[in-house]
Amino acid sequence: MHNLTIAELVKGLQEKAFSSVELTQHFLARIAKLDANYNAVITVTADQALKAAAAADKRLAAGDAPALCGVPILHKDIFCTDGVRTSCGSKMLDNFIPPYNATVVENFEQAGAVVLGKTNMDEFAMGSSNETSFYGPVKNPWASDSVPGGSSGGSAAAVAARLAPGATATDTGGSIRQPAALCGITGLKPTYGRVSRWGMIAFASSLDQGGPMARTAEDCAILLNCMASYDDKDSTCIDREVPDYSATLNDGIKGLKIGVPLEYFSEGLDPETEKAVRTALAEFEAQGAELVEISLPNTGLSVPAYYVIAPAEASANLTRFDGVRYGYRCENPSDLNDLYTRTRAEGFGDEVKRRILIGTYCLSAGYYDAYYGKAQQVRQLIQQDFEKAFQQVDVIMGPTTPSPAFKFGSKGDDPVAMYLEDIYTIATNLAGLPGMSVPCGMVDEKPVGLQIIGNYFDEARMLNTAHQFQQATDWHTLTPEGIA
Ligand code: GLN
């Protein structure tokens, strides 16, 4: 059952080929048996899942089943879940049990999905390797000595290892696409404002966006149908009709104009990864699409601009973790200052502290204009690059990451090397554009991802493009050894 796609599971449940309780027991048993190898799941909600599955079976029997009725999924541990610990990968929230559901969680509940548990992640979603999690690193199912990517590495590894058919994730600078690429699955970061951020623990509010991870583009379409909604509880959520993303998957892509940015194929890109991506581009050409060389001249400035803006926003967002309101509190504080200082010193990990320091520095009087103001100007330039490009082309394609999954510890001492992992993904977050990653090859027995960037709210076209690619290739069906 774990090799079926979400589309197949929906059908199987409706045709009563299996029940949701059977399906849920099957995935819970896989998590219990296999997750010790991956560390992808922080919290398993077995009792709740089985109860939800039994309720789903009743609705299925009554012929009153919503879209995802009885389908098991996992939530990234950044989405607040009513009555279930939501840690955000941090010691700071190790004891935090939210009294409400995030809108995304609520949407899945309304759609009848069954939540198996919460996935591991980099602490507060800061990282590209899952090595910053308080709960320990996640292992890549393709190579146990290598990272799964981050920050949504738990969700990506869980889907790759067939511990769940799909999972939620978030992307601030690449955290859906990069782990999807490194784990050989499909992931989509929607347009900023498409998916509600309410109840999604904030990292950098002008960049954060939730999105789906699954094995196929078809499944991502099904999940996005459920995730995307207008929500008046999130003032940045955009009131715009949600199309049926499944309806246009089979449209032809003849005549599609694909922009290939020069800057995404330059120094730093592993030659074998480049080869896999170019082979994928040729497949699109074979299907009648047209490749157009384009330039995104400010690409090189995206990492520096991001590492001013994201830490600045993080430093403001994370002030709420002070030992007073919720989460970790140090023992026996001598006074208020000691409470703040020790709570934060003991509760946050090194990478989070580094970001808070950088962010606070950039925002301080005297430096604000030089750093934060400047980075916002660069952000504008990056956005204009894309605007110009989309006057010429329908989608943009390139590699998701410079190379396949790297080994644990190999970038641990050098934060900048780690930051460069997101060189191809960060610009879309700065511009607010949607992006996805689709498996497109293997290098050294590790997966490679093709990135598809779309224009604002053009997720349907991206999913259609990815689906057509997956109809003609089988990279998304490959299974890591020992999983089947
Ligand atoms: N790797 C990037 C960072 O560390 C992006 C993380 C993310 O998208 N959440 O900030």
Side-chain angles (χ1 to χ4, degrees):
M1 280 191 280
H2 53 270
N3 282 317
L4 299 177
T5 63
I6 294 174
E8 289 163 342
L9 291 176
V10 168
K11 198 156 168 269
L13 283 164
Q14 273 162 9
E15 288 170 356
K16 318 274 189 303
F18 38 78
S19 70
S20 175
V21 168
E22 282 168 332
L23 195 59
T24 302
Q25 278 168 340
H26 179 76
F27 280 110
L28 287 171
R30 281 185 71 77
I31 294 173
K33 184 167 149 222
L34 298 170
D35 194 43
N37 302 335
Y38 310 116
N39 195 28
V41 185
I42 295 178
T43 305
V44 182
T45 50
D47 291 348
Q48 267 177 263
L50 289 168
K51 253 190 232 145
D57 280 334
K58 274 205 193 118
R59 294 188 75 173
L60 284 156
D64 146 48
L68 286 168
C69 196
V71 176
I73 56 151
L74 285 162
H75 283 306
K76 182 175 180 179
D77 211 15
I78 197 168
F79 290 101
C80 286
T81 38
D82 190 359
V84 175
R85 173 176 65 167
T86 300
S87 73
C88 219
S90 182
K91 177 177 178 183
M92 191 59 96
L93 290 177
D94 182 49
N95 63 1
F96 174 54
I97 299 183
Y100 69 105
N101 278 333
T103 297
V104 160
V105 171
E106 202 56 41
N107 286 358
F108 276 101
E109 200 162 303
Q110 294 300 322
V114 171
V115 182
L116 300 169
K118 311 285 298 283
T119 59
N120 202 348
M121 54 180 285
D122 276 304
E123 185 178 7
F124 285 104
M126 299 173 191
S128 304
S129 67
N130 243 277
E131 291 168 296
T132 74
S133 170
F134 172 62
Y135 302 92
V138 176
K139 289 187 182 149
N140 190 316
W142 292 92
S144 58
D145 63 351
S146 299
V147 306
S151 62
S152 315
S155 291
V159 171
R162 283 37 170 184
L163 304 184
T168 55
T170 62
D171 192 312
T172 303
S175 280
I176 291 177
R177 293 159 286 163
Q178 185 253 11
L182 270 41
C183 289
I185 63 160
T186 306
L188 186 146
K189 169 218 153 345
T191 308
Y192 184 77
R194 178 75 291 185
V195 168
S196 169
R197 292 185 300 111
W198 197 75
M200 192 178 107
I201 294 170
F203 163 12
S205 306
S206 76
L207 302 159
D208 298 342
Q209 186 62 196
M213 280 182 164
R215 296 206 304 280
T216 66
E218 184 183 23
D219 284 359
C220 282
I222 296 172
L223 296 178
L224 188 61
N225 280 339
C226 167
M227 280 182 99
S229 64
Y230 172 63
D231 180 9
D232 59 15
K233 295 202 278 306
D234 170 5
S235 62
T236 61
C237 204
I238 289 175
D239 189 1
R240 186 178 164 122
E241 203 190 326
V242 181
D244 178 355
Y245 295 107
S246 303
T248 44
L249 289 172
N250 286 312
D251 289 0
I253 58 164
K254 206 167 169 353
L256 182 82
K257 287 206 170 91
I258 301 175
V260 183
L262 235 116
E263 293 80 5
Y264 283 36
F265 292 88
S266 55
E267 202 191 329
L269 176 61
D270 159 56
E272 292 300 313
T273 300
E274 169 164 5
K275 217 157 108 201
V277 171
R278 296 239 185 241
T279 307
L281 293 176
E283 170 57 37
F284 285 103
E285 251 185 326
Q287 292 195 26
E290 185 192 334
L291 302 185
V292 183
E293 204 167 272
I294 59 163
S295 173
L296 299 169
N298 292 295
T299 299
L301 298 177
S302 59
V303 171
Y306 173 90
Y307 278 98
V308 170
I309 294 168
E313 293 182 11
S315 73
N317 274 327
L318 270 56
T319 54
R320 70 191 68 167
F321 304 109
D322 56 7
V324 176
R325 282 166 268 216
Y326 40 70
Y328 181 75
R329 174 183 299 189
C330 70
E331 302 235 350
N332 305 319
S334 56
D335 57 26
L336 187 61
N337 219 2
D338 185 42
L339 168 75
Y340 290 153
T341 317
R342 270 201 300 123
T343 292
R344 292 166 68 80
E346 293 165 17
F348 290 135
D350 288 349
E351 184 60 27
V352 173
K353 285 179 192 157
R354 180 181 293 131
R355 307 270 178 124
I356 292 172
L357 287 172
I358 296 171
T360 309
Y361 181 85
C362 293
L363 290 179
S364 53
Y367 293 115
Y368 182 94
D369 287 335
Y371 292 107
Y372 191 74
K374 200 39 115 195
Q376 290 290 17
Q377 287 171 339
V378 170
R379 182 175 192 171
Q380 200 71 33
L381 294 176
I382 289 168
Q383 195 171 330
Q384 286 165 5
D385 281 357
F386 281 112
E387 268 166 28
K388 242 192 242 153
F390 279 118
Q391 284 168 7
Q392 251 184 295
V393 299
D394 302 311
V395 291
I396 294 172
M397 290 191 195
T400 307
T401 61
S403 54
F406 50 92
K407 296 213 163 102
F408 286 109
S410 60
K411 300 190 187 196
D413 298 338
D414 184 355
V416 177
M418 188 73 86
Y419 297 168
L420 285 171
E421 181 63 15
D422 296 318
I423 180 126
Y424 305 128
T425 50
I426 273 181
T428 49
N429 297 77
L430 290 169
L433 288 165
M436 72 186 290
S437 183
V438 178
C440 76
M442 296 291 287
V443 170
D444 297 336
E445 292 169 43
K446 293 177 194 173
V448 173
L450 169 78
Q451 185 176 203
I452 306 176
I453 299 169
N455 208 341
Y456 297 105
F457 295 99
D458 213 7
E459 288 85 357
R461 194 200 306 255
M462 296 158 63
L463 287 160
N464 162 227
T465 308
H467 181 66
Q468 292 309 304
F469 180 72
Q470 294 184 335
Q471 296 299 99
T473 58
D474 61 2
W475 300 113
H476 61 289
T477 66
L478 301 186
T479 312
E481 215 174 298
I483 302 288

